[in-house]
Amino acid sequence: MKNILFVASECVPFVKTGGLADVVGSLPKNLDKKKYDTRVILPQYECMKEKYKERLKSVCYFQMDNRIYVGINSLVEDGITYYFVDNKQYFCGAKPYFDLFSDLERFAYFSKAVLSALPLIGFRPDIIHAHDWQAALVPVYLNTVFQGDPFFRGIRTIMTIHNIRFQGCWNVGHLRWVTGLPSECFQPGKLVSPYQDTSMPWDEWNATMLRGGIVYSDWVTTVSESYAGEIQTPAFSDGLDDILKWRKDRLMGIVNGIDCEVWNPKTDPHIKKNYDTRNFWNGKKENKIELQKRYGLPENGDVYTLAIVSRLTDQKGLDLIDGIMDELARKDINLIVLGSGDERYENMFRYYSRKYPDKIACRIGYDEELSHLIYAGCDAFLVPSAFEPCGLTQLIALRYGSLPIVHEIGGLKDTVKPYNQYEGSGTGFSFKGYSSSELLDRINHSEWLYRDNNTEWKAMAKRAMKEDWSWTNSSKKYEELYDSLC
Ligand code: ADP
Ligand code: GLC
């Protein structure tokens, strides 16, 4: 039996702001339980649902470095043990993340607290699997500050990059102060880029937590093969291509899966009409009408319906949508949006839904249940992202027979097969150049197919629903990686 510890800042069902939480919530359950004892450790946010907080049992508590309180609590859910790092001062508030400046200190504390707690919780991991910048200091602390203690020697580490845009970056002076890491960590080639302008004072150099995670871990993974290639180029690496190229023999892309129990149109309790490949056409229509009702749109099961469920940020290609809104509204279609994020995009969708109340409708906010109805009730699902490490929404859309229209990039390229009318193949529509006109062209094509070649559309929707995007294949790849490490 191998012991694996996932370290992350979010995890379904406890706290979620994006796909990271879905992956950390579902991958451990899909690893072979006979071979791996996989546990997860998270911050104990005050904003976590009450029903989970009530079930927490205390494991231990201590003063880290003789001055900062660390409590470790745990609960078991669905056969997985979850640990929570408790410090009310750091993890209070209505959401998991705040401004970067304070987040740096909170997650540096979290990473160090995780390691400090290990000798006390009765679980010594063979492998620590750290996710994103919030956990990236775990491999750094482990291979520096904690190396003196025999308990930690031989523990292997994997750093998974879910989104390289977020790195935990500040100047050396501040990061030295919040992390307490030795100065060797802040030399060029470690947390600091080798191309640093060394004429500047050392304290003002840029240091990056994620870079540290990449340098100090045994393996680096990311969430699709295409993204693993893209982040080795300056256009997609946000300044980390040098280190990723240097580590390319220890870098691998493994595409995410989805939890096919949660995302199953046949059994989904949050949708109006359950369906499978045999009755999806009528099933989806019923869901569409329910969706139109909830969004205050005219009820019509035949209107071609596009949807977006997304964080509303630059990453998601919403500037392309902005460029075609008036054009879209001239068509006989619906565009249904659920999302929250940047004010610019929230206001953009508010504006257009007021301008075209019979066609475009948005709900600004986060609503897990409503998202299920959207995946079930729409015909096509838009993901025109500028970059997309993996993307889960297009995978969910496929499972619900809603055809994705995507930019051919990152995980979108690896998971959506473009429609080919000559071969009668494909599971969606994709465009290569990042432009509004290419997006509009694909939407027009999809609309034509839906209306004028409905048999082809239905065949494609069935193909999409039959694809296997569960964790079955990808969890095997993680298992092989774990086995190669110890
Ligand atoms: P990212 O992690 O970049 O946000 P992903 O596609 O990997 O993108 O994952 C997004 C996840 O968050 C999906 O499970 C999606 O359904 C969910 N989601 C995004 N926005 C909302 C929202 N406003 N309400 C409900 N679920 C949302
Ligand atoms: C990130 C990425 C997204 C990916 C998710 C889970 O948030 O933006 O593409 O699916 O992590 O790995």
Side-chain angles (χ1 to χ4, degrees):
M1 186 70 105
K2 291 188 172 88
N3 289 347
I4 318 282
L5 183 68
F6 276 46
V7 187
S9 58
E10 49 182 279
C11 172
V12 165
F14 309 107
V15 63
K16 168 172 168 179
T17 70
L20 168 65
D22 291 304
V23 173
V24 177
S26 53
L27 175 55
K29 288 186 213 159
N30 284 278
L31 295 167
D32 186 344
K33 296 212 170 57
K34 287 188 226 86
K35 284 175 68 189
Y36 309 95
D37 181 351
T38 311
R39 305 189 183 189
V40 182
I41 189 158
L42 305 159
Q44 187 176 317
Y45 300 109
E46 193 191 348
C47 60
M48 192 162 93
K49 287 187 193 121
E50 222 35 63
K51 69 172 181 186
Y52 297 117
K53 283 198 243 169
E54 281 164 7
R55 284 171 45 201
L56 289 172
K57 294 206 166 56
S58 172
V59 178
C60 65
Y61 56 88
F62 56 95
Q63 299 286 325
M64 184 162 74
D65 301 331
N66 293 323
R67 60 187 183 94
I68 314 171
Y69 176 83
V70 179
I72 303 291
N73 300 315
S74 81
L75 61 77
V76 177
E77 173 82 0
D78 248 354
I80 303 283
T81 300
Y82 295 90
Y83 297 103
F84 296 86
V85 175
D86 178 30
N87 180 309
K88 304 264 177 309
Q89 206 182 329
Y90 280 123
F91 302 125
C92 59
K95 49 188 187 147
Y97 312 124
F98 293 90
D99 57 296
L100 177 60
F101 190 76
S102 66
D103 283 351
L104 291 167
E105 185 176 348
R106 284 140 40 80
F107 292 107
Y109 159 83
F110 171 62
S111 300
K112 193 169 183 189
V114 166
L115 292 173
S116 307
L118 287 185
L120 306 172
I121 63 173
F123 180 75
R124 183 189 179 276
D126 300 298
I127 295 170
I128 300 182
H129 191 159
H131 296 264
D132 270 356
W133 78 264
Q134 294 91 342
L137 287 187
V138 172
V140 183
Y141 280 121
L142 180 74
N143 290 299
T144 53
V145 178
F146 287 79
Q147 270 312 287
D149 184 339
F151 176 89
F152 292 94
R153 272 184 227 136
I155 297 181
R156 302 278 172 231
T157 50
I158 297 172
M159 178 79 239
T160 292
I161 303 168
H162 294 262
N163 193 335
I164 211 161
R165 176 64 46 97
F166 306 108
Q167 302 185 351
C169 180
W170 210 270
N171 63 35
V172 168
H174 182 61
L175 282 195
R176 276 185 72 203
W177 184 74
V178 296
T179 63
L181 282 166
S183 11
E184 61 173 89
C185 294
F186 296 95
Q187 296 308 316
K190 299 287 174 66
L191 271 73
V192 168
S193 157
Y195 306 116
Q196 187 62 50
D197 173 4
T198 44
S199 65
M200 276 162 59
W202 183 43
D203 265 13
E204 288 170 28
W205 293 359
N206 271 337
T208 305
M209 289 191 186
L210 185 60
R211 181 181 277 279
I214 296 168
V215 171
Y216 283 90
S217 56
D218 292 294
W219 263 88
V220 181
T221 73
T222 186
V223 288
S224 69
E225 271 182 45
S226 287
Y227 194 60
E230 287 163 6
I231 55 177
Q232 293 178 55
T233 66
F236 288 96
S237 72
D238 286 272
L240 296 183
D241 46 300
D242 64 277
I243 177 68
L244 288 163
K245 265 196 295 218
W246 183 63
R247 296 231 57 194
K248 71 173 184 307
D249 295 339
R250 289 280 179 282
L251 167 66
M252 167 161 62
I254 304 178
V255 73
N256 289 329
I258 52 169
D259 187 330
C260 287
E261 277 170 34
V262 173
W263 300 109
N264 184 358
K266 204 170 169 183
T267 54
D268 193 329
H270 307 305
I271 67 179
K272 172 87 177 168
K273 172 83 184 162
N274 291 114
Y275 61 91
D276 58 22
T277 47
R278 282 166 307 171
N279 62 347
F280 77 96
W281 187 252
N282 290 331
K284 286 182 75 64
K285 268 193 192 173
E286 271 192 55
N287 288 308
K288 188 191 289 183
I289 292 170
E290 176 64 20
L291 191 56
Q292 290 163 335
K293 215 182 270 175
R294 298 240 199 128
Y295 269 85
L297 289 164
E299 289 164 36
N300 174 0
D302 293 324
V303 66
Y304 184 49
T305 299
L306 304 165
I308 295 173
V309 177
S310 184
R311 288 186 293 116
L312 303 181
T313 66
D314 285 336
Q315 174 187 343
K316 301 295 178 179
L318 303 165
D319 48 341
L320 300 193
I321 311 256
D322 195 7
I324 58 168
M325 280 300 226
D326 289 307
E327 196 100 17
L328 284 182
R330 275 198 280 278
K331 296 164 169 293
D332 182 21
I333 61 149
N334 279 167
L335 171 62
I336 289 179
V337 180
L338 170 63
S340 64
D342 297 355
E343 221 170 274
R344 171 188 164 192
Y345 297 119
E346 292 189 349
N347 288 338
M348 167 186 120
F349 285 120
R350 284 192 188 107
Y351 169 79
Y352 284 110
S353 53
R354 256 179 248 133
K355 190 169 177 191
Y356 304 110
D358 287 348
K359 296 198 170 168
I360 295 172
C362 72
R363 192 71 45 90
I364 301 301
Y366 186 88
D367 190 334
E368 189 77 31
E369 284 185 23
L370 181 60
S371 76
H372 285 245
L373 185 65
I374 296 178
Y375 289 114
C378 69
D379 300 301
F381 194 88
L382 299 180
V383 199
S385 308
F387 70 94
E388 197 60 76
C390 177
L392 299 175
T393 58
Q394 83 281 8
L395 301 182
I396 304 170
L398 288 167
R399 180 133 169 92
Y400 282 71
S402 307
L403 300 183
I405 301 177
V406 305
H407 181 207
E408 260 175 52
I409 197 94
L412 300 172
K413 182 173 164 192
D414 295 356
T415 57
V416 177
K417 299 182 190 76
Y419 171 59
N420 182 320
Q421 63 190 97
Y422 306 105
E423 291 175 3
S425 64
T427 53
F429 304 86
S430 61
F431 56 98
K432 279 203 170 69
Y434 185 72
S435 73
S436 289
S437 61
E438 289 204 28
L439 168 62
L440 185 62
D441 180 67
R442 290 299 83 198
I443 294 176
N444 287 339
H445 188 196
S446 71
E447 188 195 6
W448 167 80
L449 200 72
Y450 179 84
R451 281 194 219 292
D452 296 338
N453 204 343
N454 194 250
T455 323
E456 280 273 288
W457 179 280
K458 284 179 181 159
M460 178 138 74
K462 267 193 197 169
R463 278 199 297 277
M465 289 178 79
K466 282 185 181 155
E467 289 209 320
D468 181 7
W469 289 110
S470 70
W471 277 102
T472 312
N473 295 325
S474 296
S475 60
K476 297 240 160 41
K477 294 192 180 148
Y478 279 109
E479 289 175 0
E480 278 164 24
L481 177 58
Y482 296 153
D483 291 347
S484 74
L485 282 177
C486 61

PDB file of all heavy atoms in Angstrom, residues 239-265:
ATOM      1  N   GLY A 239       6.076  33.474 -18.192  1.00  0.00           N
ATOM      2  CA  GLY A 239       7.439  33.666 -17.685  1.00  0.00           C
ATOM      3  C   GLY A 239       8.092  32.426 -17.105  1.00  0.00           C
ATOM      4  O   GLY A 239       9.208  32.503 -16.575  1.00  0.00           O
ATOM      5  N   LEU A 240       7.461  31.250 -17.211  1.00  0.00           N
ATOM      6  CA  LEU A 240       8.073  30.057 -16.606  1.00  0.00           C
ATOM      7  C   LEU A 240       8.570  29.045 -17.648  1.00  0.00           C
ATOM      8  O   LEU A 240       8.933  27.924 -17.303  1.00  0.00           O
ATOM      9  CB  LEU A 240       7.079  29.362 -15.659  1.00  0.00           C
ATOM     10  CG  LEU A 240       6.649  30.162 -14.421  1.00  0.00           C
ATOM     11  CD1 LEU A 240       5.734  29.338 -13.527  1.00  0.00           C
ATOM     12  CD2 LEU A 240       7.864  30.624 -13.616  1.00  0.00           C
ATOM     13  N   ASP A 241       8.611  29.454 -18.938  1.00  0.00           N
ATOM     14  CA  ASP A 241       9.002  28.475 -19.968  1.00  0.00           C
ATOM     15  C   ASP A 241      10.434  27.975 -19.778  1.00  0.00           C
ATOM     16  O   ASP A 241      10.726  26.812 -20.058  1.00  0.00           O
ATOM     17  CB  ASP A 241       8.801  29.025 -21.382  1.00  0.00           C
ATOM     18  CG  ASP A 241       9.331  30.435 -21.532  1.00  0.00           C
ATOM     19  OD1 ASP A 241       8.849  31.315 -20.812  1.00  0.00           O
ATOM     20  OD2 ASP A 241      10.236  30.641 -22.358  1.00  0.00           O
ATOM     21  N   ASP A 242      11.323  28.847 -19.267  1.00  0.00           N
ATOM     22  CA  ASP A 242      12.714  28.394 -19.114  1.00  0.00           C
ATOM     23  C   ASP A 242      12.791  27.183 -18.188  1.00  0.00           C
ATOM     24  O   ASP A 242      13.366  26.148 -18.525  1.00  0.00           O
ATOM     25  CB  ASP A 242      13.584  29.545 -18.581  1.00  0.00           C
ATOM     26  CG  ASP A 242      13.148  29.979 -17.191  1.00  0.00           C
ATOM     27  OD1 ASP A 242      12.185  30.781 -17.074  1.00  0.00           O
ATOM     28  OD2 ASP A 242      13.718  29.519 -16.213  1.00  0.00           O
ATOM     29  N   ILE A 243      12.132  27.273 -17.055  1.00  0.00           N
ATOM     30  CA  ILE A 243      12.234  26.187 -16.074  1.00  0.00           C
ATOM     31  C   ILE A 243      11.458  24.943 -16.549  1.00  0.00           C
ATOM     32  O   ILE A 243      11.869  23.805 -16.323  1.00  0.00           O
ATOM     33  CB  ILE A 243      11.767  26.662 -14.666  1.00  0.00           C
ATOM     34  CG1 ILE A 243      11.791  25.524 -13.633  1.00  0.00           C
ATOM     35  CG2 ILE A 243      10.386  27.237 -14.672  1.00  0.00           C
ATOM     36  CD1 ILE A 243      13.140  25.071 -13.323  1.00  0.00           C
ATOM     37  N   LEU A 244      10.366  25.169 -17.264  1.00  0.00           N
ATOM     38  CA  LEU A 244       9.585  24.011 -17.741  1.00  0.00           C
ATOM     39  C   LEU A 244      10.325  23.289 -18.862  1.00  0.00           C
ATOM     40  O   LEU A 244      10.265  22.058 -18.946  1.00  0.00           O
ATOM     41  CB  LEU A 244       8.191  24.456 -18.171  1.00  0.00           C
ATOM     42  CG  LEU A 244       7.344  24.811 -16.943  1.00  0.00           C
ATOM     43  CD1 LEU A 244       6.132  25.641 -17.332  1.00  0.00           C
ATOM     44  CD2 LEU A 244       6.905  23.557 -16.201  1.00  0.00           C
ATOM     45  N   LYS A 245      11.030  24.051 -19.676  1.00  0.00           N
ATOM     46  CA  LYS A 245      11.839  23.392 -20.721  1.00  0.00           C
ATOM     47  C   LYS A 245      12.978  22.610 -20.061  1.00  0.00           C
ATOM     48  O   LYS A 245      13.293  21.493 -20.431  1.00  0.00           O
ATOM     49  CB  LYS A 245      12.401  24.426 -21.692  1.00  0.00           C
ATOM     50  CG  LYS A 245      11.488  24.549 -22.914  1.00  0.00           C
ATOM     51  CD  LYS A 245      12.150  25.229 -24.067  1.00  0.00           C
ATOM     52  CE  LYS A 245      12.453  26.631 -23.717  1.00  0.00           C
ATOM     53  NZ  LYS A 245      12.360  27.711 -24.519  1.00  0.00           N
ATOM     54  N   TRP A 246      13.542  23.223 -19.061  1.00  0.00           N
ATOM     55  CA  TRP A 246      14.645  22.579 -18.350  1.00  0.00           C
ATOM     56  C   TRP A 246      14.172  21.283 -17.693  1.00  0.00           C
ATOM     57  O   TRP A 246      14.886  20.293 -17.646  1.00  0.00           O
ATOM     58  CB  TRP A 246      15.201  23.562 -17.303  1.00  0.00           C
ATOM     59  CG  TRP A 246      16.383  23.041 -16.553  1.00  0.00           C
ATOM     60  CD1 TRP A 246      17.605  22.723 -17.085  1.00  0.00           C
ATOM     61  CD2 TRP A 246      16.457  22.761 -15.161  1.00  0.00           C
ATOM     62  NE1 TRP A 246      18.429  22.271 -16.085  1.00  0.00           N
ATOM     63  CE2 TRP A 246      17.754  22.287 -14.902  1.00  0.00           C
ATOM     64  CE3 TRP A 246      15.551  22.881 -14.105  1.00  0.00           C
ATOM     65  CZ2 TRP A 246      18.173  21.907 -13.616  1.00  0.00           C
ATOM     66  CZ3 TRP A 246      15.965  22.514 -12.830  1.00  0.00           C
ATOM     67  CH2 TRP A 246      17.254  22.033 -12.599  1.00  0.00           C
ATOM     68  N   ARG A 247      12.944  21.253 -17.239  1.00  0.00           N
ATOM     69  CA  ARG A 247      12.419  20.077 -16.543  1.00  0.00           C
ATOM     70  C   ARG A 247      11.580  19.180 -17.452  1.00  0.00           C
ATOM     71  O   ARG A 247      10.795  18.363 -16.972  1.00  0.00           O
ATOM     72  CB  ARG A 247      11.583  20.523 -15.342  1.00  0.00           C
ATOM     73  CG  ARG A 247      12.383  21.252 -14.270  1.00  0.00           C
ATOM     74  CD  ARG A 247      12.164  20.687 -12.896  1.00  0.00           C
ATOM     75  NE  ARG A 247      12.471  19.290 -12.761  1.00  0.00           N
ATOM     76  CZ  ARG A 247      12.103  18.535 -11.744  1.00  0.00           C
ATOM     77  NH1 ARG A 247      11.407  19.045 -10.770  1.00  0.00           N
ATOM     78  NH2 ARG A 247      12.421  17.253 -11.682  1.00  0.00           N
ATOM     79  N   LYS A 248      11.703  19.345 -18.772  1.00  0.00           N
ATOM     80  CA  LYS A 248      10.741  18.671 -19.657  1.00  0.00           C
ATOM     81  C   LYS A 248      10.757  17.143 -19.556  1.00  0.00           C
ATOM     82  O   LYS A 248       9.758  16.503 -19.842  1.00  0.00           O
ATOM     83  CB  LYS A 248      10.880  19.150 -21.094  1.00  0.00           C
ATOM     84  CG  LYS A 248      12.091  18.729 -21.853  1.00  0.00           C
ATOM     85  CD  LYS A 248      11.896  19.198 -23.308  1.00  0.00           C
ATOM     86  CE  LYS A 248      12.992  18.762 -24.227  1.00  0.00           C
ATOM     87  NZ  LYS A 248      14.346  19.083 -23.803  1.00  0.00           N
ATOM     88  N   ASP A 249      11.895  16.561 -19.119  1.00  0.00           N
ATOM     89  CA  ASP A 249      11.929  15.102 -18.939  1.00  0.00           C
ATOM     90  C   ASP A 249      11.129  14.660 -17.722  1.00  0.00           C
ATOM     91  O   ASP A 249      10.892  13.471 -17.514  1.00  0.00           O
ATOM     92  CB  ASP A 249      13.373  14.613 -18.767  1.00  0.00           C
ATOM     93  CG  ASP A 249      14.158  14.856 -20.035  1.00  0.00           C
ATOM     94  OD1 ASP A 249      13.524  15.011 -21.096  1.00  0.00           O
ATOM     95  OD2 ASP A 249      15.406  14.924 -19.948  1.00  0.00           O
ATOM     96  N   ARG A 250      10.784  15.596 -16.901  1.00  0.00           N
ATOM     97  CA  ARG A 250       9.990  15.274 -15.700  1.00  0.00           C
ATOM     98  C   ARG A 250       8.668  16.046 -15.725  1.00  0.00           C
ATOM     99  O   ARG A 250       8.130  16.396 -14.692  1.00  0.00           O
ATOM    100  CB  ARG A 250      10.776  15.663 -14.432  1.00  0.00           C
ATOM    101  CG  ARG A 250      11.953  14.785 -14.150  1.00  0.00           C
ATOM    102  CD  ARG A 250      11.510  13.483 -13.471  1.00  0.00           C
ATOM    103  NE  ARG A 250      12.601  12.583 -13.204  1.00  0.00           N
ATOM    104  CZ  ARG A 250      13.201  11.801 -14.109  1.00  0.00           C
ATOM    105  NH1 ARG A 250      12.808  11.824 -15.349  1.00  0.00           N
ATOM    106  NH2 ARG A 250      14.192  11.001 -13.771  1.00  0.00           N
ATOM    107  N   LEU A 251       8.207  16.342 -16.931  1.00  0.00           N
ATOM    108  CA  LEU A 251       6.942  17.089 -17.101  1.00  0.00           C
ATOM    109  C   LEU A 251       6.001  16.265 -17.967  1.00  0.00           C
ATOM    110  O   LEU A 251       6.407  15.758 -19.012  1.00  0.00           O
ATOM    111  CB  LEU A 251       7.235  18.437 -17.786  1.00  0.00           C
ATOM    112  CG  LEU A 251       6.026  19.220 -18.317  1.00  0.00           C
ATOM    113  CD1 LEU A 251       5.124  19.690 -17.173  1.00  0.00           C
ATOM    114  CD2 LEU A 251       6.486  20.455 -19.115  1.00  0.00           C
ATOM    115  N   MET A 252       4.762  16.142 -17.514  1.00  0.00           N
ATOM    116  CA  MET A 252       3.832  15.303 -18.260  1.00  0.00           C
ATOM    117  C   MET A 252       2.439  15.921 -18.189  1.00  0.00           C
ATOM    118  O   MET A 252       2.049  16.496 -17.174  1.00  0.00           O
ATOM    119  CB  MET A 252       3.838  13.923 -17.572  1.00  0.00           C
ATOM    120  CG  MET A 252       2.730  13.015 -18.004  1.00  0.00           C
ATOM    121  SD  MET A 252       3.083  11.308 -17.619  1.00  0.00           S
ATOM    122  CE  MET A 252       3.194  11.335 -15.883  1.00  0.00           C
ATOM    123  N   GLY A 253       1.674  15.772 -19.274  1.00  0.00           N
ATOM    124  CA  GLY A 253       0.287  16.240 -19.280  1.00  0.00           C
ATOM    125  C   GLY A 253      -0.656  15.050 -19.138  1.00  0.00           C
ATOM    126  O   GLY A 253      -0.539  14.072 -19.869  1.00  0.00           O
ATOM    127  N   ILE A 254      -1.543  15.122 -18.177  1.00  0.00           N
ATOM    128  CA  ILE A 254      -2.564  14.073 -18.005  1.00  0.00           C
ATOM    129  C   ILE A 254      -3.917  14.772 -17.998  1.00  0.00           C
ATOM    130  O   ILE A 254      -4.194  15.602 -17.128  1.00  0.00           O
ATOM    131  CB  ILE A 254      -2.377  13.294 -16.684  1.00  0.00           C
ATOM    132  CG1 ILE A 254      -0.977  12.685 -16.593  1.00  0.00           C
ATOM    133  CG2 ILE A 254      -3.457  12.210 -16.540  1.00  0.00           C
ATOM    134  CD1 ILE A 254      -0.682  11.934 -15.291  1.00  0.00           C
ATOM    135  N   VAL A 255      -4.743  14.423 -18.972  1.00  0.00           N
ATOM    136  CA  VAL A 255      -6.010  15.141 -19.106  1.00  0.00           C
ATOM    137  C   VAL A 255      -6.939  14.808 -17.925  1.00  0.00           C
ATOM    138  O   VAL A 255      -6.935  13.677 -17.416  1.00  0.00           O
ATOM    139  CB  VAL A 255      -6.665  14.784 -20.462  1.00  0.00           C
ATOM    140  CG1 VAL A 255      -7.228  13.390 -20.486  1.00  0.00           C
ATOM    141  CG2 VAL A 255      -7.709  15.809 -20.853  1.00  0.00           C
ATOM    142  N   ASN A 256      -7.683  15.817 -17.478  1.00  0.00           N
ATOM    143  CA  ASN A 256      -8.618  15.592 -16.360  1.00  0.00           C
ATOM    144  C   ASN A 256      -9.785  14.702 -16.770  1.00  0.00           C
ATOM    145  O   ASN A 256     -10.151  14.629 -17.941  1.00  0.00           O
ATOM    146  CB  ASN A 256      -9.223  16.916 -15.903  1.00  0.00           C
ATOM    147  CG  ASN A 256      -8.237  17.796 -15.185  1.00  0.00           C
ATOM    148  OD1 ASN A 256      -7.327  17.307 -14.535  1.00  0.00           O
ATOM    149  ND2 ASN A 256      -8.422  19.104 -15.289  1.00  0.00           N
ATOM    150  N   GLY A 257     -10.396  14.097 -15.786  1.00  0.00           N
ATOM    151  CA  GLY A 257     -11.667  13.411 -15.997  1.00  0.00           C
ATOM    152  C   GLY A 257     -12.758  14.170 -15.254  1.00  0.00           C
ATOM    153  O   GLY A 257     -12.494  15.188 -14.594  1.00  0.00           O
ATOM    154  N   ILE A 258     -13.991  13.688 -15.371  1.00  0.00           N
ATOM    155  CA  ILE A 258     -15.079  14.266 -14.568  1.00  0.00           C
ATOM    156  C   ILE A 258     -15.704  13.163 -13.716  1.00  0.00           C
ATOM    157  O   ILE A 258     -15.548  11.974 -14.021  1.00  0.00           O
ATOM    158  CB  ILE A 258     -16.166  14.950 -15.439  1.00  0.00           C
ATOM    159  CG1 ILE A 258     -16.659  14.007 -16.548  1.00  0.00           C
ATOM    160  CG2 ILE A 258     -15.669  16.249 -16.006  1.00  0.00           C
ATOM    161  CD1 ILE A 258     -17.894  14.516 -17.275  1.00  0.00           C
ATOM    162  N   ASP A 259     -16.410  13.565 -12.693  1.00  0.00           N
ATOM    163  CA  ASP A 259     -17.090  12.605 -11.828  1.00  0.00           C
ATOM    164  C   ASP A 259     -18.403  12.204 -12.517  1.00  0.00           C
ATOM    165  O   ASP A 259     -19.369  12.968 -12.524  1.00  0.00           O
ATOM    166  CB  ASP A 259     -17.365  13.275 -10.474  1.00  0.00           C
ATOM    167  CG  ASP A 259     -17.920  12.287  -9.459  1.00  0.00           C
ATOM    168  OD1 ASP A 259     -18.608  11.334  -9.892  1.00  0.00           O
ATOM    169  OD2 ASP A 259     -17.676  12.467  -8.264  1.00  0.00           O
ATOM    170  N   CYS A 260     -18.388  11.009 -13.098  1.00  0.00           N
ATOM    171  CA  CYS A 260     -19.542  10.614 -13.926  1.00  0.00           C
ATOM    172  C   CYS A 260     -20.748  10.190 -13.098  1.00  0.00           C
ATOM    173  O   CYS A 260     -21.814   9.907 -13.655  1.00  0.00           O
ATOM    174  CB  CYS A 260     -19.126   9.509 -14.891  1.00  0.00           C
ATOM    175  SG  CYS A 260     -18.101  10.181 -16.194  1.00  0.00           S
ATOM    176  N   GLU A 261     -20.604  10.142 -11.785  1.00  0.00           N
ATOM    177  CA  GLU A 261     -21.802   9.929 -10.958  1.00  0.00           C
ATOM    178  C   GLU A 261     -22.523  11.249 -10.744  1.00  0.00           C
ATOM    179  O   GLU A 261     -23.745  11.328 -10.798  1.00  0.00           O
ATOM    180  CB  GLU A 261     -21.419   9.317  -9.621  1.00  0.00           C
ATOM    181  CG  GLU A 261     -21.261   7.806  -9.743  1.00  0.00           C
ATOM    182  CD  GLU A 261     -20.657   7.194  -8.506  1.00  0.00           C
ATOM    183  OE1 GLU A 261     -20.915   7.685  -7.386  1.00  0.00           O
ATOM    184  OE2 GLU A 261     -19.895   6.231  -8.680  1.00  0.00           O
ATOM    185  N   VAL A 262     -21.748  12.273 -10.479  1.00  0.00           N
ATOM    186  CA  VAL A 262     -22.349  13.601 -10.292  1.00  0.00           C
ATOM    187  C   VAL A 262     -22.914  14.117 -11.614  1.00  0.00           C
ATOM    188  O   VAL A 262     -23.996  14.692 -11.666  1.00  0.00           O
ATOM    189  CB  VAL A 262     -21.273  14.588  -9.767  1.00  0.00           C
ATOM    190  CG1 VAL A 262     -21.818  16.017  -9.718  1.00  0.00           C
ATOM    191  CG2 VAL A 262     -20.780  14.158  -8.400  1.00  0.00           C
ATOM    192  N   TRP A 263     -22.155  13.901 -12.678  1.00  0.00           N
ATOM    193  CA  TRP A 263     -22.544  14.438 -13.996  1.00  0.00           C
ATOM    194  C   TRP A 263     -23.105  13.308 -14.842  1.00  0.00           C
ATOM    195  O   TRP A 263     -22.413  12.728 -15.661  1.00  0.00           O
ATOM    196  CB  TRP A 263     -21.344  15.100 -14.671  1.00  0.00           C
ATOM    197  CG  TRP A 263     -20.778  16.237 -13.882  1.00  0.00           C
ATOM    198  CD1 TRP A 263     -19.597  16.262 -13.220  1.00  0.00           C
ATOM    199  CD2 TRP A 263     -21.375  17.526 -13.665  1.00  0.00           C
ATOM    200  NE1 TRP A 263     -19.412  17.469 -12.604  1.00  0.00           N
ATOM    201  CE2 TRP A 263     -20.493  18.265 -12.863  1.00  0.00           C
ATOM    202  CE3 TRP A 263     -22.565  18.132 -14.077  1.00  0.00           C
ATOM    203  CZ2 TRP A 263     -20.763  19.575 -12.449  1.00  0.00           C
ATOM    204  CZ3 TRP A 263     -22.832  19.432 -13.669  1.00  0.00           C
ATOM    205  CH2 TRP A 263     -21.941  20.141 -12.876  1.00  0.00           C
ATOM    206  N   ASN A 264     -24.346  12.975 -14.600  1.00  0.00           N
ATOM    207  CA  ASN A 264     -24.985  11.886 -15.331  1.00  0.00           C
ATOM    208  C   ASN A 264     -26.434  12.260 -15.661  1.00  0.00           C
ATOM    209  O   ASN A 264     -27.292  12.279 -14.782  1.00  0.00           O
ATOM    210  CB  ASN A 264     -24.950  10.609 -14.475  1.00  0.00           C
ATOM    211  CG  ASN A 264     -25.513   9.425 -15.222  1.00  0.00           C
ATOM    212  OD1 ASN A 264     -25.967   9.565 -16.358  1.00  0.00           O
ATOM    213  ND2 ASN A 264     -25.479   8.259 -14.589  1.00  0.00           N
ATOM    214  N   PRO A 265     -26.717  12.554 -16.935  1.00  0.00           N
ATOM    215  CA  PRO A 265     -28.075  13.011 -17.290  1.00  0.00           C
ATOM    216  C   PRO A 265     -29.154  11.969 -16.979  1.00  0.00           C
ATOM    217  O   PRO A 265     -30.328  12.319 -16.843  1.00  0.00           O
ATOM    218  CB  PRO A 265     -27.986  13.275 -18.800  1.00  0.00           C
ATOM    219  CG  PRO A 265     -26.762  12.572 -19.272  1.00  0.00           C
ATOM    220  CD  PRO A 265     -25.828  12.494 -18.114  1.00  0.00           C
TER     221      PRO A 265
END
